[in-house]
């Protein structure tokens, strides 16, 4: 289940705000729901609000539909409509007087599911189509932040906010897989040893038994090795770190948390890791553990505390960890934005009335050929200027020094300088060109 | 930065009032922006003289309202102020307190340039309405960096003049629009190089003319 359309009639700064979340005409996936969406816009335009609204609203829809209740469609001005790729349209009505179904800020919502395009029973009977929703806020804590200690982590919940999940609970998903793998490994090793003890085995038989064991290990890799080699180490290696994969199963503490080492093999306590490193691990672990499929995954500020080289890869890193899912990101980073096709970017802006609208990147019909901005084709400066509307390419001091550089260049080209003066001017010119990173042409 | 001819006076009521103050060496009423009696008249007269362009950057600030019929017989601008992006600018900030409505010191400039204009003292060497101001003698244009700089080939300019001009280019924010200017000029230069008629240019005329001269396209 993926979102294809979102329509907010009246909610805070959104008024008759409509988002088409499908690929444009001319795209190989034309008309299908977007695989990933990136919200950008000035602070206050509602990027985080949209991410939260989508998460909470979908949670309501799924929870409500699972109860098998009957719903009616009521026309009320203040409402939110969501259209799914299976044709179902959900309408959420704001109403302070009604019992709470979904809670967003100080607003309460009643939920209505429209039968217009698809019988409601479809959503109830075909549970396969129901999505899980995973929300990663801008900061994923090490320890649980919720006040209600009774709230326990349920990996099967429809909606999981990883801002409220304890790292130990988060790790337990992988820990269980590691223990299961260890048990299987012992079992298979014992069976293999036992089989090999048969004195009547030919050399071919022995090779076959050994090959069977190797094949099993290949087909079901050790989860910690898989996590390290195929996912986390790709990022951690940049920080000269890696996941410790040789685990000692002698004591419980040996596997009670992820172990990080330097690439040279020295153990690093988790607390000693940088904020960025912790965030990568804390967000990647649940994705690896839950192995989302057909899920909706929401990320607020995925760039947080990450160096630029990691930022430009982090979107691909996360999306590689889920199958056939729909991702929503909210960001201020041009490097994050560079990972998206132009139709996947939703730039929010204020109009003169203070309401939010989507800046369109195409002219005329929504067709791939009509797009005038493509962040994947732009330089970082180009993205800052064309996508993030930064008017200047640099600090004003650079402009002043460019004037100086042009003056020196002109003197060298056109003025009759003595050889000494020319040499001195050229040295000045070269030094300034280096500081300005101005290529000498 | 074009030379601006401010001798065309459409706001005759304002000009008479201003000349009277000057003749009697009276201090001007406090400059309080849009509350000034002749505020709209001054703006629209300046736009008329500047062809709707920013006095410093030559960026287009206004498209309509420059027609003569908007002025009544009393020498007042009689229409509503059309939509524009400019701000009334005092070339020399020091004159704002006592001579805030002095015609010679006022220009219409891009609001963003005005807000970023340095408060450093100004030098009249680049005052665009002075009879001796000639951009082609004082300025050069680097068509790779898309910036104006002092004309070092003008042997009449001393090293001190060159420094003053470069400082004034910076203070007035003439290069603030270099990215927009680059876009407008480059596509037209390419058209000329390919033997095509470039689309008519409505702004950045000086930079375009200098680029053509740099490249031998005139």
């Amino acid at each position: 289940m993926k979102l294809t359309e979102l329509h907010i009639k009246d909610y805070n700064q959104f008024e008759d705000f409509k988002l088409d979340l499908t690929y444009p005409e001319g795209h190989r996936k034309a008309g299908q729901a977007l695989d990933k969406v990136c919200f950008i816009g000035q602070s206050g335009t509602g990027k985080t609000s949209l991410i939260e609204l989508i998460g909470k609203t979908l949670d309501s829809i799924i929870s409500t539909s699972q109860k098998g209740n009957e719903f009616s469609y009521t026309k009320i001005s203040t409402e939110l409509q969501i259209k799914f790729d299976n044709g179902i349209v959900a309408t959420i009505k704001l109403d302070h007087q009604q019992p709470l179904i979904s809670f967003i800020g100080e607003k309460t919502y009643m939920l209505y599911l429209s039968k217009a395009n698809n019988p409601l029973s479809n959503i109830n009977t075909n549970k396969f189509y129901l999505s899980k929703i995973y929300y990663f806020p801008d900061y994923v804590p090490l320890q649980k932040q919720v006040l209600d200690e009774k709230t326990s982590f349920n990996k099967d919940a429809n909606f999981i906010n990883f801002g409220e999940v304890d790292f130990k609970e988060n790790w337990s998903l992988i820990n269980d897989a590691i223990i299961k793998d260890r048990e299987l490994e012992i079992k298979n090793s014992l069976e293999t040893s036992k089989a090999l003890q048969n004195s009547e085995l030919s050399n071919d038989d022995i090779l076959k038994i050994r090959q069977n064991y190797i094949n099993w290990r290949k087909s079901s890799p050790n989860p910690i090795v898989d996590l390290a080699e195929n996912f986390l180490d790709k990022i951690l290696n940049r920080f000269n770190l890696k996941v410790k994969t040789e685990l000692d199963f002698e004591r419980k503490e040996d596997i009670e948390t992820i172990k990080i080492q330097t690439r040279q093999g020295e153990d690093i306590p988790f607390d000693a890791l940088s904020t960025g490193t912790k965030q990568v691990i804390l967000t990647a672990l649940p994705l690896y553990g839950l192995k989302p499929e057909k899920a909706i995954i929401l990320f607020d500020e995925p760039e947080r505390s990450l160096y630029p080289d990691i930022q430009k890869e982090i979107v691909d890193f996360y999306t590689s960890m889920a199958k056939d899912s729909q991702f929503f990101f909210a960001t201020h980073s041009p490097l994050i934005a560079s990972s998206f096709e132009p139709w996947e970017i939703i730039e929010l802006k204020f109009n003169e009335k203070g309401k939010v609208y989507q800046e369109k990147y195409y002219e005329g019909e929504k067709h791939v050929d009509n797009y005038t901005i493509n962040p994947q084709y732009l330089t970082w400066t180009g993205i800052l200027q064309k996508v993030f509307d930064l008017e200047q390419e640099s600090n004003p001091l650079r402009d002043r020094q460019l004037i100086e550089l042009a003056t020196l260049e002109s003197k060298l080209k056109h003025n009759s300088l003595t050889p000494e003066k020319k040499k001195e001017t050229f040295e000045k010119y070269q030094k300034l060109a280096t500081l300005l990173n101005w290529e000498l042409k | 930065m074009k030379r601006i001819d401010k001798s065309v006076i459409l706001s005759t009521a304002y000009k008479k009032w201003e000349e009277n103050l000057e003749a009697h060496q009276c201090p001007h009423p406090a400059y309080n922006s849009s509350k000034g009696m002749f505020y709209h008249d001054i703006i629209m007269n300046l736009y008329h003289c500047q062809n709707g362009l920013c006095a410093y950057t030559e960026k287009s600030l206004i498209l309509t309202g420059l027609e003569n019929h908007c002025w009544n017989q009393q020498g007042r601008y009689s229409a509503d102020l059309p939509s524009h992006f400019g701000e009334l600018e005092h070339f020399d900030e020091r004159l704002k307190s006592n001579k805030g409505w002095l015609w010679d010191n006022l220009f219409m400039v891009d609001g963003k340039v005005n807000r970023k204009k340095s408060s450093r003292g100004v030098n009249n060497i680049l005052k665009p309405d002075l009879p001796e101001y000639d951009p082609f003698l004082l300025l050069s244009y680097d068509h790779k960096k898309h910036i104006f700089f002092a004309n070092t080939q003008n042997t009449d300019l001393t090293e001190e003049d060159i420094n003053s001009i470069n400082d004034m280019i910076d203070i007035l924010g003439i290069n603030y629009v270099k990215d927009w200017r680059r876009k407008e000029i480059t596509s037209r230069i390419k058209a000329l190089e390919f033997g095509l008629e470039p689309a008519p240019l409505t702004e950045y005329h000086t930079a375009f003319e200098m680029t053509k001269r740099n490249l031998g396209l005139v």
Side-chain angles (χ1 to χ4, degrees):
Chain A
M1 190 172 75
K2 291 180 183 176
L3 263 67
T4 57
E5 195 179 304
L6 179 75
H7 183 189
I8 303 174
K9 286 203 174 171
D10 186 10
Y11 172 69
N12 292 347
Q13 67 268 53
F14 300 103
E15 191 179 280
D16 203 17
F17 177 78
K18 213 168 195 174
L19 291 181
D20 176 0
L21 300 171
T22 61
Y23 285 98
E25 289 302 315
H27 194 278
R28 64 190 167 83
K29 294 182 179 176
Q32 292 179 36
L34 295 169
D35 294 330
K36 59 186 193 298
V37 176
C38 179
F39 291 119
I40 65 167
Q42 188 54 268
S43 298
T45 45
K47 301 180 296 294
T48 304
S49 296
L50 272 180
I51 291 267
E52 289 178 350
L53 201 65
I54 289 169
K56 296 281 186 179
T57 306
L58 293 181
D59 179 32
S60 296
I61 292 165
I62 294 165
S63 310
T64 319
S65 67
Q66 282 177 336
K67 288 175 194 160
N69 296 336
E70 281 297 322
F71 293 95
S72 60
Y73 176 77
T74 312
K75 277 194 174 175
I76 299 284
S77 63
T78 307
E79 62 190 34
L80 167 73
Q81 277 192 352
I82 289 186
K83 198 173 166 186
F84 298 97
D85 58 357
N86 58 4
I88 287 183
V89 181
T91 302
I92 316 294
K93 186 187 83 172
L94 261 100
D95 192 339
H96 287 276
Q97 307 305 317
Q98 298 291 341
L100 177 77
I101 289 187
S102 175
F103 180 81
I104 298 154
E106 292 175 351
K107 309 275 183 180
T108 57
Y109 293 82
M110 275 299 290
L111 177 82
Y112 300 89
L113 288 179
S114 165
K115 299 182 185 181
N117 298 315
N118 237 347
L120 184 60
S121 57
N122 274 8
I123 203 169
N124 288 321
T125 53
N126 296 334
K127 295 279 163 59
F128 177 74
Y129 290 109
L130 299 180
S131 294
K132 300 281 186 192
I133 305 137
Y134 302 128
Y135 172 46
F136 294 89
D138 58 359
Y139 177 70
V140 177
L142 258 178
Q143 287 176 331
K144 192 184 285 190
Q145 301 289 301
V146 286
L147 297 172
D148 183 2
E149 288 298 325
K150 287 178 199 162
T151 311
S152 61
F153 175 58
N154 172 12
K155 71 181 174 62
D156 297 319
N158 294 320
F159 177 78
I160 301 176
N161 175 354
F162 285 96
E164 296 173 355
V165 174
D166 196 283
F167 174 57
K168 280 182 183 163
E169 295 170 328
N170 193 336
W171 172 251
S172 69
L173 295 166
I174 295 165
N175 197 26
D176 291 349
I178 292 171
I179 292 169
K180 201 177 276 178
D181 176 79
R182 179 66 176 162
E183 286 167 0
L184 263 177
E185 190 183 35
I186 292 169
K187 184 172 164 262
N188 282 334
S189 298
L190 285 172
E191 281 173 7
T192 305
S193 305
K194 200 174 166 187
L196 289 171
Q197 279 168 11
N198 185 343
S199 56
E200 290 173 11
L201 289 177
S202 67
N203 280 350
D204 277 356
D205 290 335
I206 293 170
L207 282 175
K208 208 174 165 186
I209 290 166
R210 281 186 177 158
Q211 194 55 46
N212 282 344
Y213 181 81
I214 292 166
N215 289 347
W216 166 76
R217 192 66 282 187
K218 261 189 189 167
S219 65
S220 50
N222 178 330
I224 197 72
V225 174
D226 185 40
L227 170 70
E229 289 181 357
N230 294 320
F231 298 99
L232 266 182
D233 280 2
K234 286 179 187 171
I235 300 279
L236 294 183
N237 282 180
R238 305 279 186 81
F239 317 137
N240 192 39
L241 298 172
K242 62 175 183 175
V243 177
K244 184 177 180 178
T245 52
E246 298 85 31
L247 299 179
D248 192 342
F249 285 86
E250 285 177 11
R251 290 170 306 164
K252 191 185 163 205
E253 303 86 69
D254 292 331
I255 54 166
E256 74 179 1
T257 185
I258 189 167
K259 295 275 170 61
I260 305 294
Q261 296 182 311
T262 63
R263 291 179 80 180
Q264 292 73 32
E266 186 191 338
D267 286 359
I268 307 285
F270 199 84
D271 283 344
L273 297 173
S274 73
T275 315
T277 313
K278 281 183 201 155
Q279 287 300 299
V280 169
I281 294 171
L282 290 169
T283 47
L285 285 185
L287 283 179
Y288 182 81
L290 290 163
K291 305 215 172 345
E293 202 168 336
K294 297 186 188 299
I296 288 186
I297 301 167
L298 310 156
F299 268 98
D300 194 11
E301 296 191 30
E303 69 271 23
R304 191 161 165 138
S305 305
L306 294 178
Y307 218 58
D309 63 333
I310 311 288
Q311 284 188 37
K312 69 186 175 67
E313 290 172 19
I314 200 76
V315 170
D316 290 342
F317 174 70
Y318 287 137
T319 51
S320 73
M321 300 178 90
K323 264 189 196 165
D324 196 20
S325 295
Q326 192 177 32
F327 281 82
F328 289 85
F329 296 90
T331 188
H332 290 117
S333 163
L335 295 142
I336 295 284
S338 73
S339 297
F340 293 83
E341 296 172 18
W343 29 86
E344 293 173 332
I345 292 189
I346 291 171
E347 183 177 354
L348 306 176
K349 279 191 169 175
F350 287 114
N351 65 19
E352 286 172 357
K353 290 178 185 167
K355 298 291 177 185
V356 169
Y357 69 95
Q358 180 191 3
E359 172 103 323
K360 295 274 194 314
Y361 291 171
Y362 60 91
E363 287 164 2
E365 187 198 350
K366 191 183 171 189
H367 188 287
V368 287
D369 294 341
N370 294 339
Y371 277 76
T372 54
I373 292 179
N374 188 336
Q376 294 176 322
Y377 294 173
L378 291 169
T379 59
W380 310 125
T381 310
I383 295 176
L384 281 169
Q385 292 194 285
K386 291 198 85 171
V387 181
F388 285 79
D389 303 325
L390 198 69
E391 288 183 346
Q392 300 304 106
E393 64 170 15
S394 63
N395 185 306
L397 291 174
R398 177 180 169 83
D399 284 350
R400 180 65 185 89
Q401 293 309 313
L402 281 175
I403 294 174
E404 208 55 50
L405 191 73
T407 306
L408 290 170
E409 194 173 346
S410 178
K411 282 179 180 171
L412 284 162
K413 263 187 200 166
H414 304 292
N415 293 26
S416 50
L417 304 171
T418 62
E420 290 78 23
K421 187 75 183 163
K422 198 164 201 166
K423 196 180 165 209
E424 185 194 320
T425 308
F426 186 57
E427 279 172 7
K428 247 170 130 175
Y429 173 76
Q430 276 183 305
K431 195 175 172 189
L432 188 54
T434 305
L435 286 171
L436 292 165
N437 194 26
W438 186 265
E439 200 182 328
L440 304 180
K441 292 170 189 167
Chain B
M1 190 172 73
K2 272 172 121 170
R3 192 175 172 275
I4 296 167
D5 179 4
K6 285 165 77 176
S7 64
V8 181
I9 303 298
L10 302 171
S11 54
T12 48
Y14 151 73
K15 197 68 179 86
K16 200 175 162 190
W17 171 78
E18 183 249 18
E19 281 171 358
N20 191 41
L21 287 175
E22 286 302 290
H24 294 90
Q25 295 184 332
C26 297
H28 290 205
Y31 179 83
N32 49 7
S33 191
S34 58
K35 291 193 180 72
M37 188 170 42
F38 297 106
Y39 184 68
H40 289 185
D41 302 36
I42 297 169
I43 286 178
M44 294 313 295
N45 198 158
L46 283 171
Y47 273 139
H48 185 89
C49 298
Q50 297 173 201
N51 290 317
L53 303 177
C54 168
Y56 306 152
T57 64
E58 292 182 50
K59 189 172 194 273
S60 182
L61 300 177
I62 191 167
L63 300 172
T64 57
L66 302 176
E67 307 81 8
N68 284 342
H69 64 75
C70 294
W71 294 86
N72 66 21
Q73 290 189 331
Q74 286 74 46
R76 302 294 310 266
Y77 186 76
S78 54
D80 287 337
L81 202 61
S83 169
H84 69 109
F85 312 104
E87 285 181 7
L88 196 54
E89 137 85 350
H90 295 81
F91 183 81
D92 186 344
E93 287 287 317
R94 292 168 301 183
L95 298 178
K96 200 170 173 178
S97 52
N98 284 329
K99 291 180 184 288
W101 301 100
L102 188 68
W103 174 245
D104 285 352
N105 196 41
L106 295 171
F107 294 96
M108 286 309 292
V109 300
D110 184 343
K112 282 167 186 160
V113 171
N114 193 25
R115 281 191 286 277
K116 288 174 193 300
K117 188 185 163 203
S118 168
S119 55
R120 283 180 288 168
V122 291
N123 182 320
N124 279 356
I125 199 162
L126 288 191
K127 190 160 184 285
D129 62 336
L130 290 181
E132 60 270 30
Y133 171 74
D134 181 346
F136 291 92
L137 290 178
L138 299 173
L139 301 173
S140 292
Y141 191 68
D142 185 319
H143 59 273
K144 288 179 183 160
K145 302 178 190 72
H146 284 276
I147 57 162
F148 283 101
F149 64 100
N151 182 0
T152 61
Q153 293 173 71
N154 180 350
T155 48
D156 290 340
L157 295 176
T158 63
E159 197 59 32
E160 196 182 332
D161 289 335
I162 286 172
N163 288 337
S164 297
I165 291 169
N166 282 344
D167 280 343
M168 278 308 292
I169 290 169
D170 192 41
I171 288 168
L172 299 178
I174 296 172
N175 290 329
Y176 182 78
V177 295
K178 68 176 187 301
D179 297 315
W180 290 286
R181 198 160 57 200
R182 174 194 291 132
K183 211 173 106 189
E184 293 298 314
I185 290 176
T186 310
S187 63
R188 285 172 176 82
I189 291 294
K190 282 288 162 206
L192 285 174
E193 285 176 346
F194 296 144
L196 300 166
E197 182 67 29
L201 191 67
T202 54
E203 45 193 356
Y204 314 125
H205 300 278
T206 310
F208 185 52
E209 191 53 39
M210 286 184 180
T211 303
K212 283 196 291 183
R213 290 184 190 188
N214 290 347
L215 297 170
L217 294 168
V218 283

